[in-house]
Amino acid sequence: MGEHRRFVAAIVADTVGSGLFMPITLLYFLAMTDLSLVQVGSALSLSAVLTMPGAFVIGSLVDRFGPRKMMLIGNLVQAAGMAAYLWADSLLAVALWTALLNLGRQSFWGSFGNVVTAISAPGERELWFGFLQAVRNLGYSVGGVLAGLALQVGTDVAYQSVVVVNAVTFVVAFVLLLDVPDHRVVHPADAPVEGWGVVLRDTAYLRLVLGQLGFVAGMMVLNFALPVYVAETIDLPGWVVGAIFTLNTTLVGLGQGLVVRRMTGRVRARMMGLAQLTFVVAYALFVVAGWLPVWLAIVVMLVGAAIYTAGELTGGPVFSATAAEAAPDHLRGRYLGLFQLSWGLGGAVTPVAFTWLLAHGQTTLWWVLALVALASAAYLQRLPQVLPAAGRRVTNRVEEEAPEAA
């Protein structure tokens, strides 16, 4: 980490709180409001729709003011949005406060890739993105353990405590980021003025964003589908939700570096497709778990969660590194803002789609997700023809330099 310890520590602080709240997001509103499952999903989707245009504004602000300043603002906004959940008691209130939270999240994570790209060199991007994804998931893991305890207690005070702790972690992350260097790109005085028009005419990059949507749909399963499926649809004990989330984040935290090294030399687009196919295997196990006795269903769900995590380990660093390297330095804020928009779209569609599908059959959601993953995997294999960064091989500078150093 070297000089970047405070930046890494800020990521840990941010993710411990998020890991505490993410597994119980839907369950929190079901417990603390009179809203139905579909109404909660609709409120979360509405908030995502309202904040989608924010990705364009934030991308421009990152290029203009630098990513560190936008990360600082993002943490304060997230702290305010999370604290406001204590008074959210209607569909409109949930949607509005979640919209505020989403804007803060867009500001923070829309700047994140810019900082990572600035502190890493070509050839070690997968390693850095993988390392920080591992760090993030170790933070999520700690939060997930506490979330499981909150679910077991199940009282209003327990749920409210989760919200308060999450808000505090955003403030801690803000303090840590105050001393992080600003990695703003300085434009030459005679440089041509370029903006969103250049980005939106880059059809190759747009295809990457479209291809990312299938992966995003899979990644949303952990937060918006599995908690409800486990606790409500197939009626497993509440602690299983925390166990699945903790297993996922622990495996990412401990296994991400190993997976990046195992992928070294493989074509990025192939690894993107492999991630989707791994998700399909996990979905099949989730379906099977619904047909089994409780104790065996728990085992199968945990195995499925481990396989699901393998898809996350495979796709996460590759998508991020490809998006960062395919963007020009002086417009990286806008390019990565557009890339982040795929997460915004996922956040807009998946809560209401997942809850609607879960309400229309025990297995319907998993068959739909499997079809999306298979279509996405096939689509991504043609991406290298138009986007060279997707056709490059995964690199691992530490691994490549080891023989020379020896």
Side-chain angles (χ1 to χ4, degrees):
M1 292 184 290
E3 63 181 318
H4 310 301
R5 281 184 171 84
R6 291 183 70 87
F7 173 67
V8 175
I11 300 301
V12 173
D14 183 279
T15 53
V16 167
S18 297
L20 178 58
F21 188 73
M22 281 182 181
I24 65 170
T25 301
L26 292 172
L27 300 176
Y28 171 83
F29 292 117
L30 289 176
M32 301 300 294
T33 72
D34 295 327
L35 301 177
S36 68
L37 177 60
V38 173
Q39 285 177 319
V40 173
S42 299
L44 298 181
S45 291
L46 175 61
S47 68
V49 170
L50 292 174
T51 53
M52 277 172 53
F56 295 96
V57 177
I58 289 169
S60 299
L61 294 176
V62 169
D63 285 333
R64 182 175 181 181
F65 297 110
R68 183 183 70 94
K69 187 172 293 185
M70 297 307 298
M71 292 184 85
L72 288 169
I73 293 172
N75 271 312
L76 291 181
V77 173
Q78 287 183 93
M82 182 55 59
Y85 273 169
L86 295 171
W87 296 276
D89 57 0
S90 66
L91 189 151
L92 182 59
V94 172
L96 290 178
W97 293 128
T98 303
L100 182 64
L101 192 68
N102 287 346
L103 286 173
R105 187 177 295 118
Q106 284 179 341
S107 183
F108 186 87
W109 293 113
S111 307
F112 171 79
N114 291 266
V115 176
V116 177
T117 305
I119 66 178
S120 60
E124 58 182 32
R125 297 270 159 73
E126 275 95 356
L127 195 63
W128 260 101
F129 278 110
F131 164 66
L132 287 170
Q133 183 166 317
V135 167
R136 288 167 60 185
N137 277 270
L138 284 175
Y140 289 143
S141 181
V142 174
V145 171
L146 299 175
L149 294 176
L151 282 176
Q152 282 298 106
V153 174
T155 64
D156 289 355
V157 173
Y159 282 117
Q160 290 168 340
S161 298
V162 168
V163 170
V164 172
V165 171
N166 195 5
V168 170
T169 60
F170 290 132
V171 177
V172 172
F174 171 85
V175 173
L176 288 169
L177 285 169
L178 287 173
D179 292 332
V180 171
D182 195 357
H183 297 282
R184 180 182 176 189
V185 176
V186 179
H187 304 287
D190 58 348
V193 177
E194 295 179 315
W196 277 105
V198 174
V199 181
L200 296 176
R201 287 193 297 269
D202 191 340
T203 56
Y205 201 86
L206 291 174
R207 289 183 63 172
L208 171 64
V209 175
L210 180 60
Q212 160 90 340
L213 286 174
F215 182 71
V216 169
M219 290 293 289
M220 294 290 177
V221 163
L222 186 65
N223 294 333
F224 295 119
L226 280 181
V228 176
Y229 180 73
V230 169
E232 303 286 339
T233 305
I234 60 176
D235 199 27
L236 296 182
W239 62 264
V240 178
V241 175
I244 289 174
F245 200 85
T246 302
L247 174 65
N248 168 268
T249 52
T250 302
L251 287 176
V252 174
L254 300 177
Q256 185 65 83
L258 175 63
V259 172
V260 170
R261 285 167 172 79
R262 292 287 295 178
M263 289 192 297
T264 299
R266 308 294 177 87
V267 176
R268 285 173 172 171
R270 299 273 180 87
M271 295 299 97
M272 295 175 188
L274 178 61
Q276 303 282 40
L277 296 179
T278 306
F279 282 159
V280 173
V281 176
Y283 300 153
L285 288 176
F286 297 155
V287 169
V288 171
W291 301 334
L292 300 173
V294 171
W295 69 270
L296 189 54
I298 293 173
V299 173
V300 173
M301 285 300 302
L302 292 176
V303 172
I307 294 174
Y308 169 88
T309 303
E312 179 181 350
L313 289 168
T314 303
V318 178
F319 274 106
S320 297
T322 303
E325 291 187 3
D329 292 343
H330 66 294
L331 291 174
R332 184 166 285 118
R334 289 175 172 84
Y335 268 83
L336 293 185
L338 180 64
F339 184 72
Q340 192 70 18
L341 186 62
S342 62
W343 292 96
L345 287 169
V349 173
T350 56
V352 66
F354 286 0
T355 52
W356 187 86
L357 289 169
L358 284 169
H360 285 77
Q362 181 171 305
T363 63
T364 306
L365 170 65
W366 306 116
W367 300 126
V368 172
L369 282 172
L371 289 174
V372 170
L374 291 171
S376 178
Y379 175 82
L380 287 164
Q381 301 317 298
R382 300 180 62 85
L383 190 58
Q385 298 175 11
V386 295
L387 191 71
R392 294 174 191 158
R393 296 184 182 276
V394 176
T395 55
N396 173 4
R397 177 162 292 186
V398 172
E399 187 75 17
E400 291 171 351
E401 292 179 352
E404 183 178 334

